[in-house]
Amino acid sequence: MTDHSKRARYVSYDIAAYLHRGQNTIAFWLGTGWSIYAPYATADKPRSPLLRAQAALYDTRGKQLALITTDKSWKTHPSPNKLLGNWSPNNFGGELFDANKDIPHWNLPDFSDKSWQHAKEFQPKLALSAQAVEDNVLFQEIHPIGIAFLPNGDYRVDMGVNFAGWTEIDVKGSPGKRIDFHYSERAQEEMTFKNRSAYIIGPTGQGTFRNRFNYSSGRWITIRGQRKSRN
């Protein structure tokens, strides 16, 4: 555990394989994490995601060609993803994705960000050090062993085993319809620890919820708001 009022952990990536001749774009999608948790709040930074990044570019002989750093010349735009819950005990929450606010190809070189706002700069008093823990990685994919249609119109999905991980769920419904996912470790409860996520359907009437910045835990998933298939 890290005290986010005093220290921030960073990770490094080798991006050479993703670069090509011509124009390239470096883009970041920020998710709400433990740094906004109330005990870590300090006056020198907002309770919202922050980013500090740099990219060092080298030629094939190891000579540094450029050092790209984040500053207020970068552009920002509100995310279609936001936090549910507040990271406190028994209100772990999850994430809400609003497909109506999704922006296709926002991270590609030919995308125009002229209407986006310039980033704001902050100077939090945080020590930086490398993250020295294993990454979160997918090591097994599981599928439902049963799906029940409940009298109130909800679906109850049994994944067969209690898991901690990411979910990917296809949904259909009217544009603007909110689909809720409640996760439970116990068969007799709809939701444990208020572990939940949600998806707001876009103009196509369908979509796929995927965890981006959070994970779920439990065995049973109650899906509320999903339109029943006619097949």
Side-chain angles (χ1 to χ4, degrees):
M1 294 296 292
T2 295
D3 184 344
H4 294 280
S5 66
K6 299 178 180 179
R7 183 177 300 276
R9 301 288 185 176
Y10 68 84
V11 291
S12 299
Y13 303 95
D14 183 355
I15 63 172
Y18 301 99
L19 301 178
H20 56 80
R21 291 186 179 274
Q23 188 176 12
N24 292 268
T25 294
I26 298 177
F28 297 92
W29 190 356
L30 305 187
T32 305
W34 282 106
S35 60
I36 60 95
Y37 187 42
Y40 299 141
T42 55
D44 57 357
K45 64 181 188 301
R47 290 185 63 186
S48 62
L50 296 176
L51 170 73
R52 180 179 181 180
Q54 68 178 37
L57 306 182
Y58 299 87
D59 64 16
T60 56
R61 294 170 294 178
K63 179 182 178 181
Q64 183 171 308
L65 302 176
L67 183 65
I68 302 171
T69 60
T70 48
D71 57 29
K72 60 185 178 181
S73 69
W74 285 56
K75 294 291 194 72
T76 67
H77 192 278
S79 172
N81 189 296
K82 72 175 185 178
L83 175 71
L84 295 178
N86 59 13
W87 295 92
S88 63
N90 293 316
N91 193 9
F92 291 145
E95 51 195 294
L96 168 67
F97 187 88
D98 187 346
N100 296 283
K101 298 179 180 179
D102 195 16
I103 302 175
H105 313 307
W106 65 273
N107 56 342
L108 298 183
D110 59 354
F111 178 79
S112 175
D113 61 3
K114 290 183 178 180
S115 64
W116 289 27
Q117 300 295 313
H118 283 280
K120 295 181 180 180
E121 286 188 331
F122 298 90
Q123 300 294 331
K125 299 177 178 64
L126 294 171
L128 294 177
S129 59
Q131 179 174 291
V133 298
E134 295 291 338
D135 294 335
N136 290 324
V137 297
L138 177 67
F139 66 91
Q140 182 181 0
E141 184 174 303
I142 62 175
H143 299 271
I145 64 169
I147 302 176
F149 184 69
L150 305 182
N152 66 352
D154 295 347
Y155 287 89
R156 177 79 159 174
V157 180
D158 184 356
M159 300 301 297
V161 63
N162 266 307
F163 71 92
W166 304 298
T167 51
E168 184 176 84
I169 306 172
D170 295 330
V171 295
K172 290 183 179 180
S174 303
K177 178 74 172 180
R178 172 168 165 157
I179 311 296
D180 287 277
F181 315 104
H182 294 171
Y183 301 87
S184 179
E185 298 176 355
R186 306 178 184 95
Q188 70 274 20
E189 296 182 32
E190 179 181 303
M191 180 169 49
T192 50
F193 308 108
K194 289 190 177 181
N195 194 347
R196 64 201 188 276
S197 286
Y199 184 95
I200 298 177
I201 296 176
T204 65
Q206 59 186 2
T208 301
F209 171 80
R210 297 181 181 89
N211 288 108
R212 303 283 185 177
F213 304 108
N214 207 320
Y215 68 90
S216 308
S217 64
R219 171 173 171 171
W220 292 270
I221 307 172
T222 299
I223 303 177
R224 179 163 296 155
Q226 169 67 45
R227 184 176 64 195
K228 187 177 182 181
S229 175
R230 296 182 180 178
N231 297 332

